[in-house]
Amino acid sequence: MRIMHSHWLFGLLSTSTGILGTPLVYDTTTGERDTTFIVKHSWSGTPKGWRLHSEPTSDHMLKFHIGLKQGGIDEVIRHLYEVSDPAHIRYGQHLSKEEVDELISPTEETTATVSEWLQSHGIHYSDCYASSAGDWLQLTVPISKAETMFNTQYHIFQHEKTGEYTLRSLNWSLPSYVHSHIDVAAPTTSFTRTRSMKKTSFLDPHVPMIDDLSGGLSTSCSTSVTPSCLRTLYNTANYTPTATNVNQIGIAGYLEEFANFADLKTFMQKFRSDAVNANFTVTLINGGANNQAQPGIEANLDTQYAGAMTFPTPNIYYSTGGSPPFIPDDNTPTNTNEPYLDWLNFISNQTTIPQTFSTSYGDDEQTVPEDFAVRVCNGFAQLGVMGSSVLFSSGDDGVGAGECLANDGSDTIRFQPNFPASCPYVTTVGATVKTNPEQATSFSGGGFSNYFAQPSYQASAVLAFLTELGTTNQGLFNASSRAYPDVAAQGQSFQVVIGGATGSVSGTSASCPTFAGVITLLNDFRLSNNKPSLGFLNPLIYANPSAFNDITKGNNQGCGTNGFSAGIGWDPVTGLGTPDFLKLQTLLG
């Protein structure tokens, strides 16, 4: 048995024989552990967009996530592709949480070695929390101890544009004997800011506001977007969910963004009067809050449109803490700003989770160390193999914002992909605008990862695009890697209620919950017919491009270029296009 449960993980330690009698491996020459430090990750200098601000006090407390090497993540990925492929005999046969835990549980050697390393620093079981699979540990230590454990030095950095602070190191290392047993430790060298993917500000004066409460709303999304026009545009208006006792949609919230109950009621009164009793529940993670006095633009956008698209399906808003700003002169609170890890660890430890997740946050892929990105991406794969569809906004900077200089010290100009949008185990949503026909927005994030290989499910679609592209943008992107977005939805001039007032918000932040709403209805259709939820979507959608409205106009400029252009078939601006619920429903019937 390989599952290591948190309540006994360290209780089975012995001073010389390890766990479950597994002997600890020593250097055969010296008979002692080789404690030479080997670098896990380092930056060549302070990452682009950040500057060194000051030094923290040595007793400042840090909460760490330590990711032990998973025993069978390759098996998880194999299962993921089999149960997500509509042509495979195992399609829809998702794994249980217990089965996933069994696969990813670290080997006994890994657990014993990491435990010995922690003990060498005076850290015992009572100092740690372990995930149900034993592949993640959480512990809180002062900076002085962290610097010793990881052979590094922590600094306070300030973001040059936003002014926010973060506490990070420019490198971290591990002793050679434990080096291969730990994938990641955080916070260390990840400089991601977990940005909200909303392009324009609340109360955009250039977009007409809709204040008519009579219910006579336009079904066209050509000027201002409302639930009425979205439900008409994507053919969901006549579908009524019935599997509401089992089906759920989850909205991931970060950065102290609070969803407001009163604003939701006002929104529904104005834009979907039959759903005036719609509501959502709030789950707090890692010190997340639910401050009803501070309604957030992002949080309200997500909950209002997810709710309007899926009513009366239960909606859960996950308010995850661990966010900036870090206060440089505050010596006592912990600081992590690793919200994806907090959210993933919480969700993966639940026995029941929503069948659909929508997340409208991300950052430049290059700000995230590759090993960290891979581990987080694998976490999303675990949700997919358990039957959940995980959707992310593609980003609001086209092919990249600013000068688009590489963060590896070379200062090479290249397109800047977003993460987690670039993860091959999530479904990434770009943005459209106008109707008859829809076309790509100029800000719709899209491109090619610099970390992740191109998955087989999209190989032929991407090849067709690249063949048509020719030498355009040559050298600015990695044509052999994971390409995104996968799909798209409206993303401009969404009517949102904030603090009782109606304003206009644009961005792939709006596109993601809209598309996720359509998927939630499809899951309802499946579940109400005693079929399993969809789970990981990408193999299904790439095998059925005709179920989407192909977008052939527009481009996603950035990095001083016109970016990529939308065209026939898949493209890195709008993916396969926008959803047609009726076609997808027929496909899944």
Side-chain angles (χ1 to χ4, degrees), residues 296-310:
I297 301 174
E298 180 64 67
N300 275 12
L301 166 65
D302 290 341
T303 53
Q304 288 171 17
Y305 278 87
M309 293 295 291
T310 65

Side-chain angles (χ1 to χ4, degrees), residues 61 115 165 398 424:
M61 302 300 289
S115 300
Y165 298 96

Side-chain angles (χ1 to χ4, degrees), residues 226-240:
T226 67
S228 176
C229 77
L230 290 173
R231 295 174 69 221
T232 299
L233 185 63
Y234 299 138
N235 284 328
T236 69
N238 295 323
Y239 183 82
T240 301

Side-chain angles (χ1 to χ4, degrees), residues 7 28 70 73 85 173-174 195 236 258 283 285 342 500 531:
H7 62 281
T28 56
Q70 296 171 318
I73 190 61
D85 181 356
S173 305
L174 285 170
R195 290 182 291 120
T236 69
F258 309 120
T283 297
I285 301 174
D342 289 309
K531 294 182 178 181

Side-chain angles (χ1 to χ4, degrees), residues 226-241 272 274 305-311 513-522 549 579-585:
T226 67
S228 176
C229 77
L230 290 173
R231 295 174 69 221
T232 299
L233 185 63
Y234 299 138
N235 284 328
T236 69
N238 295 323
Y239 183 82
T240 301
R272 193 176 171 185
D274 65 317
Y305 278 87
M309 293 295 291
T310 65
F311 178 80
T514 298
F515 195 96
V518 175
I519 297 303
T520 300
L521 297 182
L522 290 170
N549 307 308
D580 186 321
F581 176 77
L582 295 180
K583 288 183 179 179
L584 288 164
Q585 186 182 27

